[in-house]
Amino acid sequence: MTSSTGPLAGIRVIDISSSYAAPTASMYLGDMGAEVIKIESPGGDDARAWGPPFLNGETAWFMSVNRNKKSLCLDIRKDAGRGILFKLLESADVFIENINPGKLEKLGLGIDSLRARFPHLVICAVSGFGLTGPDSALPGYDLIAQARSGMMSVTGDNDVPQRVSTALSDVAAGTVAAFAIAAALVRQQRSGVGEVIDVALLEADLAFMSPRIASYLAGDAEPRPCGGTDSVLAIYQRFETTDRTIVVAIGNERHWERACKALGLQPLYERPELGSNAGRRAHRQEIVDAFQSILGRMTSKEALRLLQDAGVPCALINRLSEVVADPQVIARGAVRTQEHPVAGSFRSVAPPWRLGSQADGNVPNRPAPLLGEHGRSILSEIGLDDAQVDELAEAGVVWVP
């Protein structure tokens, strides 16, 4: 399918970002139907080298975050390269970047100058720490954001901090950026007024930490890495069975009653001091030990069947091989296949939403572009013929395959 379907059809996005966070934002806009032109340096986005795994030389990481985009290789350090960028921005609705603010100024791409030149433009800057503050110039990565946000201080076990083992900060920041861009586009399309959107990986992670920080500021003890056994809810954690680890979530009083009855722990349910979540938190370890003594004698299938039949939220901790084969994941089309011209069939996670207007499957699903794949066609749209493009390529301003 082309990117002409979806609620953002007709919106043009120019994205000079690299790596994973900001490209997540432009990918989601493309998933919603926007035309996304990804401007890469002549050497390509850093993520093109993030492997293995490689599929015929193409990296899974890059392809997972760059579907529904076009690629143009342009050296914006050169005057002619910036001239081409400015020409593209004249017809663009959105500009996304993740370059250090100081470097942007040196390139003549400072936020203030862009706002003055393109007042209609929605400009989104994605960085580690934002455009202001004492650390705005520091480089930011997922690991750094997880550490500084306190996320690692509550993740892990036995007082050993641990990173959440995926690009959480990047996907979070990219999702926040896509939301903010879409909101700004509503006003832009009504009034012609642009916006500057400032998204920091640190603050995206702080949003995830909001309930923990709020609880600490309200007087709760400072949490430590304890394997997720300190939830505000009791019980809300993992348990071992004879073969696998499962999780059980007691989210309300009905769940508490059902779990106790299903596990033959009626005496626990009848104790008045355990009749509220606060009371169960005060006796958390006793309850955990009682649950574990029963569940530890069952297989995971037996335990899950017993609890699910009783209406108690629970799940097996899936391995990735089980995730991609999960009937619910398959039924929802949550893992999607693209046919890439070099990599071949590539499977990755689909957008985390479903639109009723696209219930027939008519959704944008173009694979990630090859390096510079659309360069000539994009440059022809701004009036450059093949001879002029070849001249720019000879000068190192553009790279075309």
Side-chain angles (χ1 to χ4, degrees):
M1 297 294 169
T2 69
S3 59
S4 60
T5 62
L8 292 183
I11 296 297
R12 170 171 275 200
V13 178
I14 304 298
D15 178 12
I16 65 171
S17 70
S18 62
S19 298
Y20 215 89
T24 295
S26 59
M27 178 180 69
Y28 283 166
L29 298 176
D31 290 339
M32 283 289 191
E35 178 192 19
V36 179
I37 296 176
K38 180 180 180 66
I39 294 182
E40 305 183 61
S41 69
D45 187 327
D46 291 345
R48 287 189 182 273
W50 289 358
F54 296 98
L55 298 175
N56 296 325
E58 302 293 321
T59 69
W61 273 73
F62 177 84
M63 290 189 292
S64 74
V65 76
N66 283 290
R67 63 176 174 259
N68 294 320
K69 301 180 186 180
K70 301 175 181 179
S71 174
L72 165 65
C73 287
L74 182 67
D75 190 346
I76 61 174
R77 297 171 301 177
K78 299 180 183 294
D79 290 341
R82 289 193 297 279
I84 292 171
L85 174 62
F86 292 146
K87 188 68 175 176
L88 290 169
L89 290 178
E90 290 176 3
S91 62
D93 300 288
V94 178
F95 177 58
I96 300 174
E97 58 85 8
N98 67 342
I99 299 175
N100 181 284
K103 292 181 180 178
L104 273 181
E105 291 289 346
K106 291 179 181 178
L107 289 171
L109 297 173
I111 300 295
D112 290 341
S113 62
L114 286 176
R115 282 285 286 155
R117 187 166 185 170
F118 306 103
H120 72 286
L121 201 59
V122 173
I123 302 168
C124 182
V126 180
S127 62
F129 302 99
L131 297 177
T132 59
D135 293 335
S136 61
L138 292 180
Y141 286 89
D142 169 70
L143 175 65
I144 308 304
Q146 288 199 34
R148 286 198 57 173
S149 68
M151 187 173 295
M152 289 178 64
S153 77
V154 300
T155 306
D157 208 350
N158 298 318
D159 282 334
V160 179
Q162 181 177 316
R163 169 181 173 264
V164 178
S165 189
T166 188
L168 184 144
S169 313
D170 297 310
V171 176
T175 303
V176 168
F179 165 76
I181 290 168
L185 281 170
V186 173
R187 184 174 65 182
Q188 182 212 59
Q189 296 298 298
R190 291 173 176 168
S191 67
V193 176
E195 183 60 273
V196 175
I197 298 167
D198 178 4
V199 176
L201 269 66
L202 173 61
E203 289 161 34
D205 280 1
L206 288 177
F208 277 114
M209 290 297 294
S210 178
R212 302 308 298 263
I213 292 173
S215 294
Y216 169 70
L217 293 175
D220 225 355
E222 189 163 46
R224 307 195 314 267
C226 59
T229 61
D230 63 345
S231 169
V232 67
L233 296 174
I235 302 298
Y236 200 84
Q237 65 179 74
R238 68 176 188 251
F239 290 93
E240 300 300 327
T241 66
T242 59
D243 59 337
R244 296 285 295 275
T245 306
I246 66 171
V247 295
V248 179
I250 305 300
N252 55 47
E253 302 311 311
R254 295 185 303 278
H255 295 156
W256 170 241
E257 179 181 6
R258 293 167 185 169
C260 288
K261 290 181 177 179
L263 296 174
L265 296 172
Q266 185 71 17
L268 277 182
Y269 174 69
E270 294 173 350
R271 286 170 53 181
E273 72 270 27
L274 303 181
S276 68
N277 183 69
R280 292 191 291 275
R281 281 188 63 176
H283 296 271
R284 189 195 303 268
Q285 192 57 55
E286 179 187 356
I287 299 171
V288 168
D289 291 343
F291 274 44
Q292 183 60 68
S293 68
I294 305 299
L295 295 171
R297 299 197 296 267
M298 300 179 181
T299 66
S300 56
K301 287 184 178 180
E302 291 169 340
L304 293 173
R305 186 182 306 113
L306 178 70
L307 293 170
Q308 287 170 347
D309 287 348
V312 178
C314 58
L316 184 71
I317 297 180
N318 279 343
R319 304 180 181 104
L320 293 188
S321 58
E322 295 166 318
V323 171
V324 297
D326 188 312
Q328 180 66 17
V329 171
I330 293 171
R332 295 279 292 172
V335 174
R336 184 178 294 173
T337 300
Q338 290 116 30
E339 294 300 327
H340 192 276
V342 173
S345 292
F346 174 69
R347 299 173 69 202
S348 64
V349 175
W353 62 78
R354 302 292 177 269
L355 301 181
S357 60
Q358 297 176 333
D360 59 356
N362 185 32
V363 297
N365 192 35
R366 290 185 290 111
L370 299 173
L371 182 62
E373 178 180 352
H374 306 91
R376 287 189 181 275
S377 63
I378 293 169
L379 294 171
S380 70
E381 291 180 15
I382 60 172
L384 298 177
D385 59 28
D386 282 344
Q388 291 171 306
V389 172
D390 290 340
E391 184 177 339
L392 288 167
E394 182 68 23
V397 176
V398 301
W399 182 87
V400 289

